[in-house]
Amino acid sequence: MNSNTKILIFGLLVLLGAALLVYGVLFHSTTVSAQQEGKPVLLAKSEPALMKDASVSGVKRDESGKIKQTYEVGEKAPEACST
Amino acid sequence: MVDKNKAGKLTSKIIGWRIWIQAAFLIVWLGPAGLRLHTVCSPVFHCYACPLATFACPIGVIAQFGALHVFPFIAVGLLIAVGALFGTLICGWACPFGFLQDLAAKVPTPKFDLPKVTGYLRYVVLIGTVLAVPYFFGEEHPLFVCRVCPAGALEAAVPTMAGQAIAGEDIVWPSVIKLTILALFLIAIFFIRRPWCRLLCPLGAIFSLFNRVSAFFLRFDTDECTHCERCHKLCEYGIEPEKTPNDLRCIRCLECTKCSPDALNLGSIFEQAKSDGDKSVNI
């Protein structure tokens, strides 16, 4: 593999990585169902917010395939990961 | 003959400081200021459930998102970008879990080597416990990566249990599998160099895939090599650097660059080899 090929592959990989990062940070969101004062609500969680919730078992996927928040809207998220 | 390039010269200067550089990175990953930036991934293996973790663990995020059936754009993007830049240099110089194993390896106990083929186990762990198990069985499965991860046990479960004991609360014990893996890991680090990294680390498995194309790589100059095989002795991980300088199992500790004829150097894709017939290889 010569230098130019390596630079090309490197450039493409960095571009791909940066594009995924930017998309994840700025544009990607997931619909999460939650409870607010006993009523079901749908939230659009950004990927960074979902990441934070996932790290403390604040979101789970139920048997129907829906992603559910494990705590009520307005309540404090769990502090520790369940694993 | 390849002149020592900028990256190579820098390596010669800092290689003796590697352990201190790893220690300095701890300040970033352990967040003494109490920052909990878990909306951001780090590129190293460090459990986000650790009471001091600054960033989220990319492997944990990939597995948790897999369980949710959501594609983790941030974690994957970060690993591709960092992998393309540094490959496994991250493992050798920045990873806190690797640093812990490097410190344990300094204890003068007999060290055992591992068969080459064991390096591929990491890909089994990556595909099995990080991708397949979370996607098909969810995070409740006992083989979900976070449920068997020794970093999680050591950095999160142990401090949490200690905190519960000190506070007089009921102690929540991790699973028997997790405790067994932690015990085996704590024994292994004194007898095998970097057992987790070499045998099971899914993050190292990902970064190693970039070793051949990353911006920084191990450059081997065939003209300079005297076939003394000193690099075989310098490499503590059983790699023969002159045959496969960018081996998948290499953590790029760069110890092999200490070989006296300068046949091995840290190279960068942006620096052209100045050659007499250009016999350097970037394999």
Side-chain angles (χ1 to χ4, degrees):
Chain A
M1 200 185 297
N2 67 34
S3 280
N4 288 339
T5 315
K6 286 189 91 172
I7 290 172
L8 179 69
I9 294 171
F10 164 76
L12 288 174
L13 285 172
V14 169
L15 270 178
L16 174 66
L20 290 173
L21 256 174
V22 170
Y23 179 74
V25 171
L26 299 179
F27 305 110
H28 183 218
S29 68
T30 306
T31 305
V32 176
S33 43
Q35 294 280 322
Q36 188 171 26
E37 293 167 358
K39 292 172 186 167
V41 287
L42 291 178
L43 307 171
K45 270 194 193 282
S46 67
E47 188 168 329
L50 190 70
M51 195 189 297
K52 191 167 189 172
D53 267 355
S55 72
V56 289
S57 304
V59 279
K60 302 233 174 196
R61 188 170 182 273
D62 68 11
E63 285 171 359
S64 67
K66 280 184 185 165
I67 300 171
K68 287 194 169 172
Q69 188 168 292
T70 58
Y71 58 97
E72 279 214 7
V73 178
E75 276 184 1
K76 215 177 159 193
E79 285 188 357
C81 171
S82 66
T83 60
Chain B
M1 184 177 79
V2 178
D3 288 343
K4 213 162 200 175
N5 53 30
K6 283 180 191 168
K9 283 175 189 163
L10 179 69
T11 312
S12 315
K13 285 180 188 164
I14 64 169
I15 195 160
W17 293 84
R18 186 169 74 96
I19 205 147
W20 295 105
I21 292 168
Q22 289 172 295
F25 268 110
L26 273 186
I27 298 168
V28 181
W29 314 133
L30 292 182
L35 291 173
R36 302 277 285 176
L37 306 173
H38 289 189
T39 51
V40 185
C41 277
S42 69
V44 294
F45 201 74
H46 182 50
C47 183
Y48 41 48
C50 166
L52 295 174
T54 313
F55 303 104
C57 166
I59 293 299
V61 168
I62 290 172
Q64 294 282 4
F65 273 53
L68 297 173
H69 290 199
V70 176
F71 188 83
F73 289 95
I74 295 177
V76 172
L78 179 87
L79 294 186
I80 291 175
V82 172
L85 269 169
F86 302 109
T88 52
L89 263 179
I90 296 290
C91 307
W93 293 75
C95 180
F97 208 53
F99 178 46
L100 170 78
Q101 294 168 81
D102 282 345
L103 289 180
K106 293 202 175 293
V107 176
T109 46
K111 299 287 188 292
F112 301 97
D113 215 347
L114 294 166
K116 280 181 186 178
V117 71
T118 52
Y120 295 105
L121 263 177
R122 297 180 303 165
Y123 300 98
V124 177
V125 172
L126 173 65
I127 294 165
T129 68
V130 182
L131 302 175
V133 166
Y135 188 84
F136 293 111
F137 303 104
E139 69 156 338
E140 301 298 327
H141 195 279
L143 289 179
F144 181 84
V145 66
C146 298
R147 294 191 182 276
V148 293
C149 175
L154 191 63
E155 296 163 358
V158 170
T160 304
M161 287 193 301
Q164 288 163 343
I166 291 165
E169 297 168 2
D170 287 340
I171 296 173
V172 181
W173 290 86
S175 70
V176 176
I177 298 175
K178 197 165 190 170
L179 286 175
T180 309
I181 289 173
L182 175 63
L184 290 173
F185 168 76
L186 289 175
I187 296 166
I189 54 176
F190 294 102
F191 298 100
I192 300 168
R193 290 180 201 279
R194 288 206 179 211
W196 174 256
C197 309
R198 296 165 71 189
L199 276 172
L200 302 166
C201 182
L203 185 58
I206 293 171
F207 283 145
S208 69
L209 297 174
F210 292 94
N211 269 359
R212 290 184 65 181
V213 293
S214 60
F216 296 96
F217 60 92
L218 202 56
R219 176 175 274 148
F220 174 62
D221 181 6
T222 48
D223 276 354
E224 287 282 357
C225 184
T226 57
H227 306 285
C228 66
E229 298 191 349
R230 186 166 173 241
C231 57
H232 295 198
K233 290 171 190 147
L234 286 166
C235 180
E236 294 172 334
Y237 302 98
I239 298 165
E240 295 170 348
E242 93 284 18
K243 289 180 185 158
T244 52
N246 292 300
D247 194 288
L248 291 176
R249 294 170 299 146
C250 175
I251 61 149
R252 289 185 174 165
C253 62
L254 305 178
E255 286 294 318
C256 59
T257 62
K258 287 179 180 170
C259 86
S260 47
D262 278 346
L264 287 155
N265 275 305
L266 183 67
S268 114
I269 55 171
F270 304 110
E271 291 174 318
Q272 292 289 328
K274 293 169 191 157
S275 58
D276 306 329
D278 197 2
K279 288 184 183 168
S280 65
V281 286
N282 309 334
I283 45 182

